């Protein structure tokens, strides 16, 4: 994995959103169209790394 240019999700479960993060390509986009009650458990390396 690691080649997705974008992941679009409408799921409100933060664990389910974080699971496919490793599938994003460098400079890929995660688009979340819902609100969950728990914070999104994502490593900062995914947010700032290219």
């Amino acid at each position: 994995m690691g080649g997705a240019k974008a992941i679009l999700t409408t799921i409100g479960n933060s664990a389910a959103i974080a699971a496919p993060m490793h599938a994003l390509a460098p400079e890929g986009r995660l688009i979340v169209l819902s609100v969950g009650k728990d914070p999104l458990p994502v490593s900062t390396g995914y947010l700032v790394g290219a």
Side-chain angles (χ1 to χ4, degrees):
M1 290 196 161
K5 294 188 185 242
I7 296 174
L8 173 68
T9 181
T10 59
I11 299 172
N13 184 333
S14 61
I17 295 170
M21 288 292 294
H22 65 279
L24 281 173
E27 297 188 27
R29 306 284 182 196
L30 173 65
I31 304 164
V32 181
L33 299 175
S34 65
V35 177
K37 61 181 178 181
D38 297 323
L40 189 60
V42 176
S43 170
T44 55
Y46 284 120
L47 299 176
V48 297

